[in-house]
Amino acid sequence: DAGITQSPRHKVTETGTPVTLRCHQTENHRYMYWYRQDPGHGLRLIHYSYGVKDTDKGEVSDGYSVSRSKTEDFLLTLESATSSQTSVYFCAISVTTWGYEQYFGPGTRLTVT
Amino acid sequence: QKEVEQDPGPLSVPEGAIVSLNCTYSNSAFQYFMWYRQYSRKGPELLMYTYSSGNKEDGRFTAQVDKSSKYISLFIRDSQPSDSATYLCAMRAGANSKLTFGKGITLSVRP
């Protein structure tokens, strides 16, 4: 998994509660990404980061925020979880900008009831 | 029209079969084409990467790009049960553009 860990790996939460997912990398790569994967939609980019405190929105960013205070950690926060945010969330890193060789973490399975 | 379309599957083949997985795309600016493999409950991993048109071979896997038809393929020869996974195509236009993924197709290789 290219030194990428995600926590928690599984989470069940209630509608309206805030949730934070963590992505941690051990290889000091500059670029990090958060995706969600849903049946019928494939992988969709939520947010990405190109350095400490440098982040930008992807195609499905509504309802999500991110923070990156250290190179190794990229946090994804669901400000007020909704059932439509039930999904599998993947963190990825790449060595270069939008590198084709993106390495993915093991994923976090989130259920919002 | 979606930027990237991938056959929905699922696909089931007997061991030893030749498998053909395909994606079409609408954005003529795409130049970089990738195939990712994803085992159940795991993250995707890069399998093949091709720049522009042409073929690329790696063991039992061949990636083919036809830019004139906006069509890419992944061929798996002598398929094995260990090839059972979901395969996602991905592509991007240039160095500063995001990856666009297909929805993925689930392949099952029967022993």
Side-chain angles (χ1 to χ4, degrees), chain A residues 6-41:
Chain A
Q6 291 184 233
S7 58
R9 294 293 313 280
H10 302 271
K11 186 170 182 68
V12 179
T13 192
E14 293 184 349
T15 298
T17 59
V19 176
T20 295
L21 309 183
R22 179 180 183 240
C23 177
H24 178 79
Q25 58 148 328
T26 60
E27 300 183 13
N28 245 21
H29 292 302
R30 182 177 172 189
Y31 300 97
M32 299 183 75
Y33 314 85
W34 276 108
Y35 291 90
R36 60 178 289 175
Q37 186 174 38
D38 305 286
H41 291 277

PDB file of all heavy atoms in Angstrom, chain A residues 6-41:
ATOM      1  N   GLN A   6      -5.051   4.376   6.396  1.00  0.00           N
ATOM      2  CA  GLN A   6      -6.267   5.158   6.573  1.00  0.00           C
ATOM      3  C   GLN A   6      -6.927   4.725   7.880  1.00  0.00           C
ATOM      4  O   GLN A   6      -6.921   3.545   8.232  1.00  0.00           O
ATOM      5  CB  GLN A   6      -7.243   4.933   5.402  1.00  0.00           C
ATOM      6  CG  GLN A   6      -6.751   5.512   4.093  1.00  0.00           C
ATOM      7  CD  GLN A   6      -7.776   5.366   2.977  1.00  0.00           C
ATOM      8  OE1 GLN A   6      -7.483   4.855   1.904  1.00  0.00           O
ATOM      9  NE2 GLN A   6      -8.991   5.846   3.220  1.00  0.00           N
ATOM     10  N   SER A   7      -7.488   5.703   8.580  1.00  0.00           N
ATOM     11  CA  SER A   7      -8.191   5.370   9.809  1.00  0.00           C
ATOM     12  C   SER A   7      -9.412   6.261   9.975  1.00  0.00           C
ATOM     13  O   SER A   7      -9.393   7.428   9.559  1.00  0.00           O
ATOM     14  CB  SER A   7      -7.259   5.533  11.019  1.00  0.00           C
ATOM     15  OG  SER A   7      -6.758   6.855  11.096  1.00  0.00           O
ATOM     16  N   PRO A   8     -10.504   5.721  10.503  1.00  0.00           N
ATOM     17  CA  PRO A   8     -10.682   4.295  10.781  1.00  0.00           C
ATOM     18  C   PRO A   8     -10.882   3.511   9.490  1.00  0.00           C
ATOM     19  O   PRO A   8     -11.030   4.101   8.424  1.00  0.00           O
ATOM     20  CB  PRO A   8     -11.963   4.297  11.628  1.00  0.00           C
ATOM     21  CG  PRO A   8     -12.753   5.452  11.099  1.00  0.00           C
ATOM     22  CD  PRO A   8     -11.722   6.516  10.769  1.00  0.00           C
ATOM     23  N   ARG A   9     -10.865   2.218   9.563  1.00  0.00           N
ATOM     24  CA  ARG A   9     -11.121   1.411   8.368  1.00  0.00           C
ATOM     25  C   ARG A   9     -12.618   1.211   8.143  1.00  0.00           C
ATOM     26  O   ARG A   9     -13.075   1.070   7.014  1.00  0.00           O
ATOM     27  CB  ARG A   9     -10.447   0.047   8.504  1.00  0.00           C
ATOM     28  CG  ARG A   9      -8.920   0.111   8.517  1.00  0.00           C
ATOM     29  CD  ARG A   9      -8.353   0.571   7.162  1.00  0.00           C
ATOM     30  NE  ARG A   9      -8.942  -0.116   6.045  1.00  0.00           N
ATOM     31  CZ  ARG A   9      -8.586  -1.333   5.649  1.00  0.00           C
ATOM     32  NH1 ARG A   9      -7.621  -1.966   6.274  1.00  0.00           N
ATOM     33  NH2 ARG A   9      -9.191  -1.905   4.621  1.00  0.00           N
ATOM     34  N   HIS A  10     -13.359   1.208   9.236  1.00  0.00           N
ATOM     35  CA  HIS A  10     -14.801   1.088   9.156  1.00  0.00           C
ATOM     36  C   HIS A  10     -15.411   2.047  10.157  1.00  0.00           C
ATOM     37  O   HIS A  10     -14.874   2.217  11.248  1.00  0.00           O
ATOM     38  CB  HIS A  10     -15.266  -0.339   9.495  1.00  0.00           C
ATOM     39  CG  HIS A  10     -14.681  -1.390   8.621  1.00  0.00           C
ATOM     40  ND1 HIS A  10     -15.263  -1.791   7.439  1.00  0.00           N
ATOM     41  CD2 HIS A  10     -13.542  -2.123   8.741  1.00  0.00           C
ATOM     42  CE1 HIS A  10     -14.523  -2.724   6.887  1.00  0.00           C
ATOM     43  NE2 HIS A  10     -13.470  -2.944   7.641  1.00  0.00           N
ATOM     44  N   LYS A  11     -16.534   2.657   9.761  1.00  0.00           N
ATOM     45  CA  LYS A  11     -17.213   3.532  10.706  1.00  0.00           C
ATOM     46  C   LYS A  11     -18.686   3.573  10.378  1.00  0.00           C
ATOM     47  O   LYS A  11     -19.069   3.684   9.198  1.00  0.00           O
ATOM     48  CB  LYS A  11     -16.634   4.937  10.686  1.00  0.00           C
ATOM     49  CG  LYS A  11     -17.233   5.834  11.787  1.00  0.00           C
ATOM     50  CD  LYS A  11     -16.502   7.138  11.923  1.00  0.00           C
ATOM     51  CE  LYS A  11     -17.091   7.975  13.043  1.00  0.00           C
ATOM     52  NZ  LYS A  11     -16.856   7.373  14.376  1.00  0.00           N
ATOM     53  N   VAL A  12     -19.485   3.515  11.421  1.00  0.00           N
ATOM     54  CA  VAL A  12     -20.923   3.722  11.300  1.00  0.00           C
ATOM     55  C   VAL A  12     -21.267   4.946  12.129  1.00  0.00           C
ATOM     56  O   VAL A  12     -20.867   5.044  13.289  1.00  0.00           O
ATOM     57  CB  VAL A  12     -21.726   2.498  11.808  1.00  0.00           C
ATOM     58  CG1 VAL A  12     -23.221   2.763  11.676  1.00  0.00           C
ATOM     59  CG2 VAL A  12     -21.335   1.241  11.033  1.00  0.00           C
ATOM     60  N   THR A  13     -21.970   5.870  11.541  1.00  0.00           N
ATOM     61  CA  THR A  13     -22.305   7.095  12.244  1.00  0.00           C
ATOM     62  C   THR A  13     -23.731   7.497  11.915  1.00  0.00           C
ATOM     63  O   THR A  13     -24.340   6.977  10.981  1.00  0.00           O
ATOM     64  CB  THR A  13     -21.329   8.227  11.871  1.00  0.00           C
ATOM     65  OG1 THR A  13     -21.494   9.321  12.779  1.00  0.00           O
ATOM     66  CG2 THR A  13     -21.574   8.722  10.451  1.00  0.00           C
ATOM     67  N   GLU A  14     -24.243   8.433  12.688  1.00  0.00           N
ATOM     68  CA  GLU A  14     -25.628   8.865  12.478  1.00  0.00           C
ATOM     69  C   GLU A  14     -25.685  10.148  11.648  1.00  0.00           C
ATOM     70  O   GLU A  14     -24.764  10.974  11.676  1.00  0.00           O
ATOM     71  CB  GLU A  14     -26.299   9.091  13.830  1.00  0.00           C
ATOM     72  CG  GLU A  14     -26.495   7.802  14.624  1.00  0.00           C
ATOM     73  CD  GLU A  14     -27.251   8.028  15.922  1.00  0.00           C
ATOM     74  OE1 GLU A  14     -27.434   9.198  16.312  1.00  0.00           O
ATOM     75  OE2 GLU A  14     -27.654   7.029  16.534  1.00  0.00           O
ATOM     76  N   THR A  15     -26.768  10.298  10.951  1.00  0.00           N
ATOM     77  CA  THR A  15     -26.994  11.509  10.173  1.00  0.00           C
ATOM     78  C   THR A  15     -26.861  12.749  11.050  1.00  0.00           C
ATOM     79  O   THR A  15     -27.371  12.784  12.164  1.00  0.00           O
ATOM     80  CB  THR A  15     -28.400  11.476   9.545  1.00  0.00           C
ATOM     81  OG1 THR A  15     -28.490  10.368   8.656  1.00  0.00           O
ATOM     82  CG2 THR A  15     -28.692  12.751   8.780  1.00  0.00           C
ATOM     83  N   GLY A  16     -26.141  13.737  10.515  1.00  0.00           N
ATOM     84  CA  GLY A  16     -25.989  15.001  11.226  1.00  0.00           C
ATOM     85  C   GLY A  16     -24.735  15.110  12.073  1.00  0.00           C
ATOM     86  O   GLY A  16     -24.403  16.206  12.530  1.00  0.00           O
ATOM     87  N   THR A  17     -24.028  14.018  12.279  1.00  0.00           N
ATOM     88  CA  THR A  17     -22.817  14.074  13.098  1.00  0.00           C
ATOM     89  C   THR A  17     -21.610  14.381  12.219  1.00  0.00           C
ATOM     90  O   THR A  17     -21.568  14.003  11.048  1.00  0.00           O
ATOM     91  CB  THR A  17     -22.573  12.761  13.839  1.00  0.00           C
ATOM     92  OG1 THR A  17     -22.451  11.702  12.873  1.00  0.00           O
ATOM     93  CG2 THR A  17     -23.720  12.442  14.768  1.00  0.00           C
ATOM     94  N   PRO A  18     -20.616  15.073  12.771  1.00  0.00           N
ATOM     95  CA  PRO A  18     -19.378  15.297  12.013  1.00  0.00           C
ATOM     96  C   PRO A  18     -18.497  14.047  12.070  1.00  0.00           C
ATOM     97  O   PRO A  18     -18.492  13.321  13.062  1.00  0.00           O
ATOM     98  CB  PRO A  18     -18.729  16.467  12.748  1.00  0.00           C
ATOM     99  CG  PRO A  18     -19.256  16.383  14.135  1.00  0.00           C
ATOM    100  CD  PRO A  18     -20.620  15.769  14.057  1.00  0.00           C
ATOM    101  N   VAL A  19     -17.782  13.824  10.982  1.00  0.00           N
ATOM    102  CA  VAL A  19     -16.901  12.658  10.889  1.00  0.00           C
ATOM    103  C   VAL A  19     -15.583  13.102  10.269  1.00  0.00           C
ATOM    104  O   VAL A  19     -15.585  13.866   9.298  1.00  0.00           O
ATOM    105  CB  VAL A  19     -17.519  11.561   9.989  1.00  0.00           C
ATOM    106  CG1 VAL A  19     -16.561  10.390   9.821  1.00  0.00           C
ATOM    107  CG2 VAL A  19     -18.859  11.092  10.549  1.00  0.00           C
ATOM    108  N   THR A  20     -14.491  12.630  10.821  1.00  0.00           N
ATOM    109  CA  THR A  20     -13.179  12.918  10.244  1.00  0.00           C
ATOM    110  C   THR A  20     -12.464  11.629   9.909  1.00  0.00           C
ATOM    111  O   THR A  20     -12.354  10.733  10.752  1.00  0.00           O
ATOM    112  CB  THR A  20     -12.317  13.762  11.190  1.00  0.00           C
ATOM    113  OG1 THR A  20     -12.927  15.038  11.364  1.00  0.00           O
ATOM    114  CG2 THR A  20     -10.909  13.970  10.613  1.00  0.00           C
ATOM    115  N   LEU A  21     -12.003  11.544   8.673  1.00  0.00           N
ATOM    116  CA  LEU A  21     -11.216  10.409   8.207  1.00  0.00           C
ATOM    117  C   LEU A  21      -9.772  10.864   8.041  1.00  0.00           C
ATOM    118  O   LEU A  21      -9.522  11.979   7.568  1.00  0.00           O
ATOM    119  CB  LEU A  21     -11.762   9.883   6.877  1.00  0.00           C
ATOM    120  CG  LEU A  21     -13.260   9.577   6.806  1.00  0.00           C
ATOM    121  CD1 LEU A  21     -13.606   9.007   5.437  1.00  0.00           C
ATOM    122  CD2 LEU A  21     -13.687   8.658   7.915  1.00  0.00           C
ATOM    123  N   ARG A  22      -8.865   9.971   8.401  1.00  0.00           N
ATOM    124  CA  ARG A  22      -7.452  10.349   8.359  1.00  0.00           C
ATOM    125  C   ARG A  22      -6.706   9.499   7.339  1.00  0.00           C
ATOM    126  O   ARG A  22      -6.909   8.286   7.239  1.00  0.00           O
ATOM    127  CB  ARG A  22      -6.821  10.162   9.733  1.00  0.00           C
ATOM    128  CG  ARG A  22      -5.333  10.507   9.814  1.00  0.00           C
ATOM    129  CD  ARG A  22      -4.804  10.284  11.213  1.00  0.00           C
ATOM    130  NE  ARG A  22      -3.405  10.672  11.344  1.00  0.00           N
ATOM    131  CZ  ARG A  22      -2.443   9.833  11.705  1.00  0.00           C
ATOM    132  NH1 ARG A  22      -2.729   8.572  11.950  1.00  0.00           N
ATOM    133  NH2 ARG A  22      -1.197  10.257  11.843  1.00  0.00           N
ATOM    134  N   CYS A  23      -5.828  10.157   6.611  1.00  0.00           N
ATOM    135  CA  CYS A  23      -4.910   9.483   5.700  1.00  0.00           C
ATOM    136  C   CYS A  23      -3.494   9.841   6.136  1.00  0.00           C
ATOM    137  O   CYS A  23      -3.170  11.039   6.305  1.00  0.00           O
ATOM    138  CB  CYS A  23      -5.149   9.930   4.270  1.00  0.00           C
ATOM    139  SG  CYS A  23      -3.993   9.211   3.076  1.00  0.00           S
ATOM    140  N   HIS A  24      -2.668   8.830   6.303  1.00  0.00           N
ATOM    141  CA  HIS A  24      -1.297   9.043   6.742  1.00  0.00           C
ATOM    142  C   HIS A  24      -0.340   8.354   5.786  1.00  0.00           C
ATOM    143  O   HIS A  24      -0.532   7.199   5.422  1.00  0.00           O
ATOM    144  CB  HIS A  24      -1.120   8.475   8.159  1.00  0.00           C
ATOM    145  CG  HIS A  24       0.262   8.606   8.693  1.00  0.00           C
ATOM    146  ND1 HIS A  24       0.759   9.784   9.214  1.00  0.00           N
ATOM    147  CD2 HIS A  24       1.280   7.703   8.773  1.00  0.00           C
ATOM    148  CE1 HIS A  24       2.009   9.603   9.599  1.00  0.00           C
ATOM    149  NE2 HIS A  24       2.346   8.352   9.347  1.00  0.00           N
ATOM    150  N   GLN A  25       0.683   9.083   5.363  1.00  0.00           N
ATOM    151  CA  GLN A  25       1.693   8.491   4.474  1.00  0.00           C
ATOM    152  C   GLN A  25       3.058   8.616   5.130  1.00  0.00           C
ATOM    153  O   GLN A  25       3.326   9.545   5.881  1.00  0.00           O
ATOM    154  CB  GLN A  25       1.702   9.202   3.115  1.00  0.00           C
ATOM    155  CG  GLN A  25       1.974  10.707   3.212  1.00  0.00           C
ATOM    156  CD  GLN A  25       2.724  11.272   2.034  1.00  0.00           C
ATOM    157  OE1 GLN A  25       3.548  10.584   1.422  1.00  0.00           O
ATOM    158  NE2 GLN A  25       2.455  12.532   1.717  1.00  0.00           N
ATOM    159  N   THR A  26       3.905   7.658   4.816  1.00  0.00           N
ATOM    160  CA  THR A  26       5.228   7.626   5.437  1.00  0.00           C
ATOM    161  C   THR A  26       6.334   8.064   4.490  1.00  0.00           C
ATOM    162  O   THR A  26       7.495   8.085   4.876  1.00  0.00           O
ATOM    163  CB  THR A  26       5.528   6.201   5.946  1.00  0.00           C
ATOM    164  OG1 THR A  26       5.481   5.305   4.828  1.00  0.00           O
ATOM    165  CG2 THR A  26       4.515   5.777   6.994  1.00  0.00           C
ATOM    166  N   GLU A  27       5.985   8.419   3.243  1.00  0.00           N
ATOM    167  CA  GLU A  27       7.019   8.657   2.242  1.00  0.00           C
ATOM    168  C   GLU A  27       7.169  10.116   1.837  1.00  0.00           C
ATOM    169  O   GLU A  27       7.838  10.421   0.860  1.00  0.00           O
ATOM    170  CB  GLU A  27       6.748   7.775   1.020  1.00  0.00           C
ATOM    171  CG  GLU A  27       6.751   6.300   1.390  1.00  0.00           C
ATOM    172  CD  GLU A  27       6.557   5.384   0.206  1.00  0.00           C
ATOM    173  OE1 GLU A  27       6.667   5.859  -0.941  1.00  0.00           O
ATOM    174  OE2 GLU A  27       6.289   4.189   0.412  1.00  0.00           O
ATOM    175  N   ASN A  28       6.526  11.020   2.528  1.00  0.00           N
ATOM    176  CA  ASN A  28       6.740  12.458   2.325  1.00  0.00           C
ATOM    177  C   ASN A  28       6.362  12.972   0.934  1.00  0.00           C
ATOM    178  O   ASN A  28       6.963  13.940   0.450  1.00  0.00           O
ATOM    179  CB  ASN A  28       8.206  12.801   2.574  1.00  0.00           C
ATOM    180  CG  ASN A  28       8.356  13.715   3.773  1.00  0.00           C
ATOM    181  OD1 ASN A  28       7.481  13.784   4.623  1.00  0.00           O
ATOM    182  ND2 ASN A  28       9.459  14.420   3.839  1.00  0.00           N
ATOM    183  N   HIS A  29       5.386  12.338   0.298  1.00  0.00           N
ATOM    184  CA  HIS A  29       4.986  12.807  -1.024  1.00  0.00           C
ATOM    185  C   HIS A  29       4.139  14.062  -0.906  1.00  0.00           C
ATOM    186  O   HIS A  29       3.367  14.234   0.034  1.00  0.00           O
ATOM    187  CB  HIS A  29       4.221  11.725  -1.765  1.00  0.00           C
ATOM    188  CG  HIS A  29       5.084  10.553  -2.118  1.00  0.00           C
ATOM    189  ND1 HIS A  29       6.212  10.672  -2.873  1.00  0.00           N
ATOM    190  CD2 HIS A  29       4.985   9.244  -1.782  1.00  0.00           C
ATOM    191  CE1 HIS A  29       6.786   9.481  -3.012  1.00  0.00           C
ATOM    192  NE2 HIS A  29       6.062   8.606  -2.353  1.00  0.00           N
ATOM    193  N   ARG A  30       4.293  14.922  -1.915  1.00  0.00           N
ATOM    194  CA  ARG A  30       3.647  16.234  -1.865  1.00  0.00           C
ATOM    195  C   ARG A  30       2.150  16.157  -2.155  1.00  0.00           C
ATOM    196  O   ARG A  30       1.352  16.864  -1.564  1.00  0.00           O
ATOM    197  CB  ARG A  30       4.337  17.136  -2.890  1.00  0.00           C
ATOM    198  CG  ARG A  30       3.803  18.540  -2.919  1.00  0.00           C
ATOM    199  CD  ARG A  30       4.592  19.381  -3.907  1.00  0.00           C
ATOM    200  NE  ARG A  30       3.986  20.685  -4.097  1.00  0.00           N
ATOM    201  CZ  ARG A  30       4.369  21.551  -5.024  1.00  0.00           C
ATOM    202  NH1 ARG A  30       5.368  21.247  -5.847  1.00  0.00           N
ATOM    203  NH2 ARG A  30       3.756  22.715  -5.139  1.00  0.00           N
ATOM    204  N   TYR A  31       1.766  15.305  -3.114  1.00  0.00           N
ATOM    205  CA  TYR A  31       0.389  15.314  -3.591  1.00  0.00           C
ATOM    206  C   TYR A  31      -0.431  14.201  -2.953  1.00  0.00           C
ATOM    207  O   TYR A  31      -0.045  13.041  -2.954  1.00  0.00           O
ATOM    208  CB  TYR A  31       0.366  15.166  -5.124  1.00  0.00           C
ATOM    209  CG  TYR A  31       1.100  16.278  -5.812  1.00  0.00           C
ATOM    210  CD1 TYR A  31       2.416  16.125  -6.231  1.00  0.00           C
ATOM    211  CD2 TYR A  31       0.470  17.499  -6.026  1.00  0.00           C
ATOM    212  CE1 TYR A  31       3.099  17.162  -6.844  1.00  0.00           C
ATOM    213  CE2 TYR A  31       1.146  18.543  -6.638  1.00  0.00           C
ATOM    214  CZ  TYR A  31       2.453  18.363  -7.045  1.00  0.00           C
ATOM    215  OH  TYR A  31       3.121  19.393  -7.650  1.00  0.00           O
ATOM    216  N   MET A  32      -1.586  14.599  -2.440  1.00  0.00           N
ATOM    217  CA  MET A  32      -2.487  13.630  -1.808  1.00  0.00           C
ATOM    218  C   MET A  32      -3.915  13.914  -2.264  1.00  0.00           C
ATOM    219  O   MET A  32      -4.253  15.075  -2.569  1.00  0.00           O
ATOM    220  CB  MET A  32      -2.395  13.705  -0.276  1.00  0.00           C
ATOM    221  CG  MET A  32      -1.009  13.398   0.260  1.00  0.00           C
ATOM    222  SD  MET A  32      -0.904  13.395   2.071  1.00  0.00           S
ATOM    223  CE  MET A  32      -1.720  11.828   2.459  1.00  0.00           C
ATOM    224  N   TYR A  33      -4.714  12.872  -2.294  1.00  0.00           N
ATOM    225  CA  TYR A  33      -6.068  12.968  -2.861  1.00  0.00           C
ATOM    226  C   TYR A  33      -7.054  12.188  -1.992  1.00  0.00           C
ATOM    227  O   TYR A  33      -6.697  11.179  -1.392  1.00  0.00           O
ATOM    228  CB  TYR A  33      -6.108  12.360  -4.272  1.00  0.00           C
ATOM    229  CG  TYR A  33      -4.974  12.785  -5.176  1.00  0.00           C
ATOM    230  CD1 TYR A  33      -3.752  12.126  -5.138  1.00  0.00           C
ATOM    231  CD2 TYR A  33      -5.124  13.839  -6.065  1.00  0.00           C
ATOM    232  CE1 TYR A  33      -2.703  12.507  -5.963  1.00  0.00           C
ATOM    233  CE2 TYR A  33      -4.083  14.227  -6.900  1.00  0.00           C
ATOM    234  CZ  TYR A  33      -2.876  13.556  -6.841  1.00  0.00           C
ATOM    235  OH  TYR A  33      -1.842  13.944  -7.654  1.00  0.00           O
ATOM    236  N   TRP A  34      -8.275  12.644  -1.982  1.00  0.00           N
ATOM    237  CA  TRP A  34      -9.378  11.878  -1.413  1.00  0.00           C
ATOM    238  C   TRP A  34     -10.391  11.588  -2.516  1.00  0.00           C
ATOM    239  O   TRP A  34     -10.832  12.489  -3.244  1.00  0.00           O
ATOM    240  CB  TRP A  34     -10.090  12.661  -0.306  1.00  0.00           C
ATOM    241  CG  TRP A  34      -9.446  12.549   1.034  1.00  0.00           C
ATOM    242  CD1 TRP A  34      -8.741  13.510   1.697  1.00  0.00           C
ATOM    243  CD2 TRP A  34      -9.464  11.407   1.891  1.00  0.00           C
ATOM    244  NE1 TRP A  34      -8.313  13.037   2.899  1.00  0.00           N
ATOM    245  CE2 TRP A  34      -8.743  11.744   3.050  1.00  0.00           C
ATOM    246  CE3 TRP A  34     -10.017  10.131   1.805  1.00  0.00           C
ATOM    247  CZ2 TRP A  34      -8.557  10.857   4.117  1.00  0.00           C
ATOM    248  CZ3 TRP A  34      -9.835   9.248   2.851  1.00  0.00           C
ATOM    249  CH2 TRP A  34      -9.119   9.619   3.998  1.00  0.00           C
ATOM    250  N   TYR A  35     -10.756  10.300  -2.623  1.00  0.00           N
ATOM    251  CA  TYR A  35     -11.769   9.848  -3.568  1.00  0.00           C
ATOM    252  C   TYR A  35     -12.879   9.150  -2.790  1.00  0.00           C
ATOM    253  O   TYR A  35     -12.652   8.614  -1.707  1.00  0.00           O
ATOM    254  CB  TYR A  35     -11.190   8.820  -4.551  1.00  0.00           C
ATOM    255  CG  TYR A  35     -10.201   9.334  -5.554  1.00  0.00           C
ATOM    256  CD1 TYR A  35      -8.838   9.355  -5.267  1.00  0.00           C
ATOM    257  CD2 TYR A  35     -10.618   9.749  -6.814  1.00  0.00           C
ATOM    258  CE1 TYR A  35      -7.913   9.794  -6.225  1.00  0.00           C
ATOM    259  CE2 TYR A  35      -9.703  10.178  -7.771  1.00  0.00           C
ATOM    260  CZ  TYR A  35      -8.362  10.195  -7.463  1.00  0.00           C
ATOM    261  OH  TYR A  35      -7.457  10.622  -8.405  1.00  0.00           O
ATOM    262  N   ARG A  36     -14.036   9.097  -3.386  1.00  0.00           N
ATOM    263  CA  ARG A  36     -15.065   8.194  -2.919  1.00  0.00           C
ATOM    264  C   ARG A  36     -15.415   7.241  -4.062  1.00  0.00           C
ATOM    265  O   ARG A  36     -15.322   7.597  -5.247  1.00  0.00           O
ATOM    266  CB  ARG A  36     -16.313   8.938  -2.424  1.00  0.00           C
ATOM    267  CG  ARG A  36     -17.015   9.813  -3.421  1.00  0.00           C
ATOM    268  CD  ARG A  36     -18.262  10.459  -2.815  1.00  0.00           C
ATOM    269  NE  ARG A  36     -19.330   9.475  -2.590  1.00  0.00           N
ATOM    270  CZ  ARG A  36     -20.478   9.759  -1.983  1.00  0.00           C
ATOM    271  NH1 ARG A  36     -20.734  10.990  -1.541  1.00  0.00           N
ATOM    272  NH2 ARG A  36     -21.393   8.825  -1.814  1.00  0.00           N
ATOM    273  N   GLN A  37     -15.794   6.019  -3.666  1.00  0.00           N
ATOM    274  CA  GLN A  37     -16.128   5.020  -4.669  1.00  0.00           C
ATOM    275  C   GLN A  37     -17.511   4.463  -4.371  1.00  0.00           C
ATOM    276  O   GLN A  37     -17.761   3.954  -3.267  1.00  0.00           O
ATOM    277  CB  GLN A  37     -15.102   3.881  -4.680  1.00  0.00           C
ATOM    278  CG  GLN A  37     -15.319   2.891  -5.813  1.00  0.00           C
ATOM    279  CD  GLN A  37     -14.213   1.854  -5.903  1.00  0.00           C
ATOM    280  OE1 GLN A  37     -13.702   1.390  -4.882  1.00  0.00           O
ATOM    281  NE2 GLN A  37     -13.837   1.486  -7.119  1.00  0.00           N
ATOM    282  N   ASP A  38     -18.395   4.553  -5.336  1.00  0.00           N
ATOM    283  CA  ASP A  38     -19.770   4.112  -5.192  1.00  0.00           C
ATOM    284  C   ASP A  38     -20.166   3.279  -6.396  1.00  0.00           C
ATOM    285  O   ASP A  38     -19.744   3.564  -7.520  1.00  0.00           O
ATOM    286  CB  ASP A  38     -20.711   5.327  -5.114  1.00  0.00           C
ATOM    287  CG  ASP A  38     -20.326   6.292  -4.029  1.00  0.00           C
ATOM    288  OD1 ASP A  38     -20.568   5.964  -2.863  1.00  0.00           O
ATOM    289  OD2 ASP A  38     -19.774   7.363  -4.343  1.00  0.00           O
ATOM    290  N   PRO A  39     -20.994   2.263  -6.167  1.00  0.00           N
ATOM    291  CA  PRO A  39     -21.488   1.460  -7.300  1.00  0.00           C
ATOM    292  C   PRO A  39     -22.177   2.359  -8.318  1.00  0.00           C
ATOM    293  O   PRO A  39     -22.955   3.237  -7.970  1.00  0.00           O
ATOM    294  CB  PRO A  39     -22.487   0.507  -6.627  1.00  0.00           C
ATOM    295  CG  PRO A  39     -22.071   0.442  -5.210  1.00  0.00           C
ATOM    296  CD  PRO A  39     -21.515   1.797  -4.882  1.00  0.00           C
ATOM    297  N   GLY A  40     -21.849   2.146  -9.576  1.00  0.00           N
ATOM    298  CA  GLY A  40     -22.467   2.935 -10.632  1.00  0.00           C
ATOM    299  C   GLY A  40     -21.817   4.274 -10.898  1.00  0.00           C
ATOM    300  O   GLY A  40     -22.159   4.957 -11.864  1.00  0.00           O
ATOM    301  N   HIS A  41     -20.867   4.665 -10.025  1.00  0.00           N
ATOM    302  CA  HIS A  41     -20.199   5.956 -10.208  1.00  0.00           C
ATOM    303  C   HIS A  41     -18.690   5.840 -10.322  1.00  0.00           C
ATOM    304  O   HIS A  41     -18.027   6.763 -10.768  1.00  0.00           O
ATOM    305  CB  HIS A  41     -20.530   6.902  -9.052  1.00  0.00           C
ATOM    306  CG  HIS A  41     -21.952   7.358  -9.037  1.00  0.00           C
ATOM    307  ND1 HIS A  41     -22.408   8.418  -9.818  1.00  0.00           N
ATOM    308  CD2 HIS A  41     -23.022   6.902  -8.354  1.00  0.00           C
ATOM    309  CE1 HIS A  41     -23.691   8.580  -9.596  1.00  0.00           C
ATOM    310  NE2 HIS A  41     -24.098   7.691  -8.730  1.00  0.00           N
TER     311      HIS A  41
END
